[in-house]
Amino acid sequence: IEHIKKGGVVMFPILGLAAFALLIAIFKWVELSGVKPAQDNDVSIILKYLKDGEKEKALAHAKSVRGPVGEMLTSAVENADRDKEILEEVIYEQIITTQPKLERLLPLIQVTAATAPLLGLLGTVTGMIKTFRLITVFGTGDAKSLSTGISEALITTEFGLIVAIPAIILGAILSRKARSVVASMEQTAVSFVNGVINK
């Protein structure tokens, strides 16, 4: 706490950004971890039901798959009897509707990663200004007075980087996780369309 206090007023927005980014990261991690990709046997079972003319059973199985993949399969089964182009459009619409939902709030983590070092730099500037003001008043003889401004300059830079580096890593991991869900949906969609055409 003493170390943080030495950083001055700029430490408040830096720590605020850190807490904000951490809360978003936890929320998104839980949200994305709850989205399960469709299993190969799910698509196979649905296609088998459709091949046997049991659309209701296929629809029931599609609804049993949780998350956006299940919603996409449900829409796909409901439109399985339509032309290939219309079926592909319905599925594609489901994917592009889901993608922004999966990626929402992630840009805020990237903003934190970009802003924290700038706030650290601001603290460095204000700390050095404080140091030069003290030099003009007391000269260079009072090392203790000068150390407060120098400490402020270095500590804010330190915390700016401490916040930014994990934010960059977390943002990259969560973005990759979101993209993997979308990729899973696309793969499932291709398997379904190919299976319906060849049934």
Side-chain angles (χ1 to χ4, degrees):
I1 292 169
E2 283 300 315
H3 189 61
I4 289 169
K5 281 180 181 176
K6 288 176 184 176
V9 291
V10 180
M11 289 299 296
F12 292 108
I14 291 174
L15 293 175
L17 279 174
F20 181 63
L22 183 62
L23 286 171
I24 290 172
I26 292 168
F27 171 74
K28 289 304 293 183
W29 186 272
V30 171
E31 184 184 52
L32 292 171
S33 296
V35 178
K36 302 297 180 189
Q39 304 298 316
D40 290 336
N41 64 327
D42 286 326
V43 179
S44 301
I45 290 166
I46 290 167
L47 289 171
K48 185 179 180 301
Y49 283 139
L50 288 173
K51 189 178 180 180
D52 296 341
E54 297 177 322
K55 190 173 179 178
E56 290 303 317
K57 286 186 179 179
L59 197 58
H61 191 86
K63 287 178 179 177
S64 71
V65 179
R66 293 177 60 191
V69 179
E71 290 170 13
M72 183 191 71
L73 284 172
T74 302
S75 296
V77 171
E78 288 171 347
N79 294 277
D81 298 329
R82 304 179 79 175
D83 292 338
K84 181 192 171 187
E85 290 75 16
I86 295 172
L87 177 60
E88 285 177 343
E89 280 179 20
V90 167
I91 292 171
Y92 180 66
E93 186 182 341
Q94 198 74 39
I95 292 170
I96 60 171
T97 303
T98 303
Q99 191 168 358
K101 291 178 185 174
L102 294 172
E103 293 177 351
R104 72 193 168 99
L105 300 179
L106 290 181
L108 294 175
I109 297 175
Q110 292 157 1
V111 167
T112 298
T115 308
L118 293 175
L119 286 169
L121 183 60
L122 176 63
T124 302
V125 173
T126 55
M128 294 312 294
I129 289 169
K130 186 184 286 186
T131 303
F132 286 121
R133 278 182 183 161
L134 290 169
I135 288 172
T136 58
V137 176
F138 300 107
T140 55
D142 191 353
K144 190 174 182 182
S145 297
L146 297 177
S147 68
T148 57
I150 294 167
S151 292
E152 183 178 318
L154 295 174
I155 290 166
T156 52
T157 305
E158 175 193 12
F159 272 87
L161 294 172
I162 285 171
V163 172
I165 293 167
I168 290 168
I169 295 168
L170 280 171
I173 291 169
L174 291 168
S175 294
R176 185 179 177 129
K177 207 169 173 64
R179 284 196 300 271
S180 71
V181 174
V182 174
S184 164
M185 289 178 73
E186 289 171 348
Q187 188 177 351
T188 303
V190 170
S191 300
F192 182 86
V193 172
N194 289 340
V196 168
I197 291 166
N198 298 321
K199 71 175 180 176

